[in-house]
């Protein structure tokens, strides 16, 4: 067993799992904040219900994200100590800012928001959520700054074989970081949009399935009520229809942003990591064509065994340089360039262990880069198309009665998650064999082979025990999170607002929905019943 391979599997499994929570947190947080802002400004009960329902799901996901994210920090010291020594002088600043500044605001003010319902003035309570959401967004920036330095090291000098930061501003404004950060935020918007669409579709379908809502001869919705079921009133219909339309809008805007920022990021990759992009296109020879479908053994070391079955002339040049005729350097030519710059074999050094003197494979795993790139684009486009279809199918106020369409809508929640995960796998594995990729225009020697990054004192057996334990634990946590989310999703708004279960009286419009003395106060108007405290929302 190779300790390096096991360590990479461990980091890949835990990181991809953690990143399932990250885009939903980044995307759903601003949506919940906007929903609460609308409630504070209008007093409309619909917006309060929206805030509490989606806010509950946001909290579940956020807490699981924090729990799984903490493991990432420990891995650096346990399995990747040599890597930690190499990047420590650079990573210290952005990661300290993330922990001491961003995460402090994120966790502190989210706690105030959770326990501040009916205790803090409305506007102050709203401000706590906005600060927490801003903390999450800033936190993500500092993390991506650190990751982007691994892709494109800047702002350093090489002293005694280690990069020492000389320009923190250059590190924080790394063009790779700016492109990756904007791309990640847009991808997160797509995740949040798909999440809203799938869940809202399910509840609108349930209302039709249960006979609460019907359609007239023109196919327009006739909104009904089930007074014997808490929360299944006319306001409930508004909640889900509004959620679906907001989700569709967010998903479409997010995909548009992904396309723009992805183009910018792709052009930077062609300059900074040309082998990654050549492998993503299975471009063995210099050319201008984009491969839509390549056949052959993508995993073979001989790139010449591949055949581009379907290709679009000029598109690869456009993606790289914005024109249609600039030749793009292929894999075979890049191998020679990399060998001249960085050597043909790993140095004879104890840091490489048994890999000392081994031939360097500069071509990353093509099946991963090639299909990861296409899965990312395909799933992202599919999610945006689904959002457009959702807007069209619900133009008359409800969803079709088809159970299969409902299932597709719910299943569609996974598409933007898949796109985000595939994008990160492509980004990280396409950088191999480097853990810190060399900057073509940077300081010579500021790069690190992955083979030199693993902790020398950790055995394969210890790493294997660790990866099995963490993978099992994360599998259990995945079941727990999905079970909790499904439970609250199926229960609907009353799961986040127990006061709906206990409320009595009319569910219509009232002049003062927040008046606790109003005998006709509508359900879900902002103040819980006497036997329900704020902990009912928190837990």
């Amino acid at each position: 067993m190779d300790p390096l391979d096991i360590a990479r599997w461990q980091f890949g499994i835990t990181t991809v799992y953690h990143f399932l929570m990250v885009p939903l947190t980044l995307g759903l947080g601003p949506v919940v904040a906007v929903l609460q802002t609308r409630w504070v400004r209008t007093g409309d009960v619909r917006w309060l219900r929206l805030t509490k329902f989606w806010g509950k799901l946001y909290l579940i996901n956020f807490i699981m994200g924090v729990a799984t994210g903490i493991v990432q920090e420990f891995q650096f010291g346990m399995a990747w100590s040599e890597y930690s020594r190499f990047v420590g002088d650079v990573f210290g600043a952005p990661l300290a800012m993330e922990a001491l500044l961003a995460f402090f605001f994120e966790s502190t003010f989210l706690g105030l928001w959770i326990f501040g319902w009916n205790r803090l003035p409305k506007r102050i309570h709203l401000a706590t959520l906005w600060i927490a959401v801003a903390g999450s967004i800033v936190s993500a920036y500092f993390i991506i700054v650190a990751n982007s330095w691994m892709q494109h090291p800047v702002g350093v000098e090489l002293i005694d074989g280690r990069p020492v930061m000389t320009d923190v501003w250059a590190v924080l404004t790394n063009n790779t970081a700016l492109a990756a950060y904007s791309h990640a935020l847009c991808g997160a918007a797509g995740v949040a949009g798909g999440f809203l669409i799938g869940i809202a579709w399910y509840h609108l379908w349930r209302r039709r399935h249960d006979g609460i809502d019907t359609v007239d001869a023109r196919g327009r919705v006739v909104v009904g009520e089930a007074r014997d079921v808490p929360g299944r009133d006319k306001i409930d219909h508004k909640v889900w229809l509004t959620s679906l339309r907001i989700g569709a809008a967010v998903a479409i805007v997010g995909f548009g942003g992904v396309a723009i920022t992805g183009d910018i990021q792709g052009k930077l990759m062609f300059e900074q990591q040309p082998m990654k992009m050549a492998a993503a296109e299975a471009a063995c020879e210099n050319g201008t064509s984009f491969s839509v479908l390549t056949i052959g053994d993508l995993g073979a070391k001989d790139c010449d065994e591949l055949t581009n079955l379907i290709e679009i002339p000029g598109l690869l040049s456009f993606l790289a340089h914005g024109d249609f005729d600039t030749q793009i350097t292929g894999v075979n030519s890049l191998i020679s360039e990399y060998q001249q710059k960085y050597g043909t074999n790993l140095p004879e050094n104890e840091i490489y262990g048994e890999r000392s003197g081994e031939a360097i494979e500069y071509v990353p795993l093509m099946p991963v880069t090639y299909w990861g790139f296409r899965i990312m684009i395909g799933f992202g486009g599919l999610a945006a198309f689904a959002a457009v279809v959702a807007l069209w199918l619900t133009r008359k106020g409800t969803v079709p009665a088809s159970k299969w369409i409902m299932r597709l809508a719910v299943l569609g929640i996974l598409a933007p998650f898949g796109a985000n995960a595939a994008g990160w796998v492509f980004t990280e594995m396409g950088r191999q064999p480097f853990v810190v990729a060399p900057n073509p225009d940077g300081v010579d020697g500021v790069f690190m082979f992955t083979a030199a990054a693993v902790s020398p004192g950790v055995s394969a057996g210890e790493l294997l025990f660790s990866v099995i334990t963490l993978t099992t634990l994360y599998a259990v946590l995945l079941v727990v999170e999905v079970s909790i989310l499904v439970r609250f999703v199926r229960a609907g708004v009353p799961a986040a607002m127990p006061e709906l279960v206990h409320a009595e009286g009319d569910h219509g419009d009232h002049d003062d929905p927040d008046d606790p003395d109003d005998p006709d106060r509508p359900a879900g108007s902002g103040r819980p019943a006497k036997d329900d405290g704020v902990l009912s929302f928190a837990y």
Side-chain angles (χ1 to χ4, degrees):
M1 296 185 297
D2 189 341
L4 176 61
D5 288 340
I6 301 173
R8 289 181 63 191
W9 271 106
Q10 175 178 294
F11 197 84
I13 291 170
T14 56
T15 302
V16 169
Y17 179 89
H18 171 62
F19 194 72
L20 294 177
M21 289 80 177
V22 172
L24 184 57
T25 296
L26 292 176
L28 192 57
V31 171
V32 176
V34 169
L35 295 176
Q36 185 170 347
T37 301
R38 290 289 296 159
W39 172 62
V40 170
R41 297 191 63 179
T42 67
D44 189 335
V45 175
R46 169 183 48 163
W47 298 109
L48 176 62
R49 292 193 186 185
L50 282 161
T51 301
K52 286 211 168 184
F53 176 78
W54 295 111
K56 189 85 169 187
L57 301 186
Y58 170 70
L59 290 178
I60 295 169
N61 183 76
F62 177 89
I63 292 166
M64 193 66 75
V66 171
T68 57
I70 292 174
V71 176
Q72 309 306 313
E73 301 176 15
F74 291 104
Q75 287 195 89
F76 290 134
M78 293 191 297
W80 302 96
S81 61
E82 294 299 327
Y83 159 82
S84 299
R85 290 190 182 97
F86 187 79
V87 302
D89 188 82
V90 180
F91 279 19
L95 294 185
M97 292 178 188
E98 189 273 336
L100 299 176
L101 179 63
F103 187 70
F104 170 79
F105 278 97
E106 185 181 13
S107 55
T108 301
F109 285 92
L110 189 62
L112 289 172
W113 183 71
I114 293 171
F115 297 103
W117 284 100
N118 309 311
R119 286 173 165 79
L120 295 175
K122 281 185 179 180
R123 294 185 182 276
I124 293 178
H125 184 245
L126 173 62
T128 63
L129 178 59
W130 275 112
I131 294 172
V133 169
S136 296
I137 294 173
V138 174
S139 176
Y141 178 72
F142 288 127
I143 295 295
I144 289 180
V145 162
N147 178 270
S148 296
W149 189 88
M150 296 161 59
Q151 315 283 344
H152 183 233
V154 294
V156 296
E157 290 182 0
L158 195 64
I159 300 176
D160 296 330
R162 292 178 62 249
V164 176
M165 185 165 59
T166 57
D167 188 349
V168 67
W169 185 247
V171 173
L172 293 176
T173 59
N174 188 346
N175 57 4
T176 304
L178 297 176
Y181 179 63
S182 56
H183 193 61
L185 289 185
C186 292
V191 168
F195 193 69
L196 266 70
I197 291 171
I199 292 173
W201 193 291
Y202 166 75
H203 278 284
L204 287 171
W205 174 84
R206 273 188 61 188
R207 288 179 63 91
R208 287 207 62 183
H209 179 265
D210 295 343
I212 299 174
D213 296 336
T214 56
V215 295
D216 59 20
R218 295 182 301 170
R220 297 188 177 278
V221 65
V222 178
V223 181
E225 289 187 303
R227 289 185 171 271
D228 57 328
V229 181
R232 304 296 290 278
D233 50 19
K234 292 184 177 181
I235 300 176
D236 186 60
H237 173 267
K238 290 182 180 180
V239 165
W240 303 122
L241 188 62
T242 302
S243 295
L244 190 146
R245 289 175 173 168
I246 290 175
V250 169
I252 293 169
V253 171
F255 181 76
V258 164
I260 295 171
T261 57
D263 179 65
I264 296 171
Q265 194 174 18
K267 287 178 169 56
L268 288 175
M269 283 187 187
F270 274 108
E271 295 176 7
Q272 299 166 359
Q273 299 182 59
M275 182 64 82
K276 176 188 292 186
M277 295 307 295
E281 300 307 327
C284 296
E285 304 299 335
N286 300 353
T288 64
S289 299
F290 176 88
S291 168
V292 178
L293 179 62
T294 295
I295 59 174
D297 185 4
L298 287 170
K301 294 183 179 180
D302 187 358
C303 186
D304 295 329
E305 295 182 10
L306 304 178
T307 301
N308 292 333
L309 192 64
I310 303 174
E311 57 184 19
I312 302 175
L315 182 56
L316 187 59
S317 297
F318 179 79
L319 293 175
H321 298 289
D323 59 48
F324 296 95
D325 50 20
T326 300
Q327 290 284 312
I328 305 303
T329 308
V331 169
N332 292 334
S333 298
L334 287 170
I335 290 175
S336 299
E337 292 183 16
Y338 275 61
Q339 288 176 340
Q340 291 178 3
K341 289 182 180 179
Y342 313 114
T344 58
N345 297 79
L346 293 173
E348 293 287 349
N349 191 310
E350 62 179 8
I351 195 174
Y352 294 98
E354 296 179 357
R355 294 177 180 267
S356 295
E358 189 177 281
I360 303 172
E361 294 287 342
Y362 284 109
V363 184
L365 288 174
M366 272 203 216
V368 175
T369 55
Y370 185 84
W371 289 113
F373 190 65
R374 281 148 186 77
I375 290 172
M376 173 184 66
I377 296 172
F379 277 3
L382 181 63
F385 175 74
V388 174
V389 172
L391 285 177
W392 173 256
L393 292 179
T394 59
R395 68 192 185 280
K396 294 183 179 180
T398 190
V399 299
S402 170
K403 187 175 184 179
W404 288 104
I405 296 179
M406 179 275 292
R407 288 177 174 174
L408 284 176
V410 173
L411 191 63
I413 293 174
L414 300 178
F417 280 101
N420 275 264
W424 272 110
V425 170
F426 161 71
T427 298
E428 298 308 301
M429 291 194 67
R431 188 177 65 247
Q432 299 304 316
F434 301 101
V435 66
V436 176
N439 180 353
D441 301 318
V443 178
D444 291 338
V446 181
F447 65 88
M448 187 181 202
F449 290 112
T450 307
V454 70
S455 300
V458 179
S459 68
E462 291 170 331
L463 284 167
L464 185 61
F465 174 79
S466 176
V467 71
I468 292 174
T469 302
L470 284 173
T471 302
T472 303
L473 176 61
Y474 276 28
V476 172
L477 290 177
L478 179 62
V479 172
V480 170
E481 181 180 17
V482 172
S483 299
I484 294 173
L485 287 173
V486 169
R487 172 188 170 191
F488 279 98
V489 166
R490 285 180 173 174
V493 175
M497 299 181 68
E499 57 266 36
L500 283 173
V501 180
H502 303 291
E504 298 178 355
D506 184 68
H507 288 205
D509 296 327
H510 297 264
D511 294 335
D512 188 4
D514 287 326
D515 181 4
D517 298 322
D518 182 358
D520 294 324
R521 177 172 56 88
S525 61
R527 298 188 184 277
K530 291 182 180 180
D531 58 339
D532 281 310
V534 71
L535 295 183
S536 62
F537 176 76
Y539 298 113

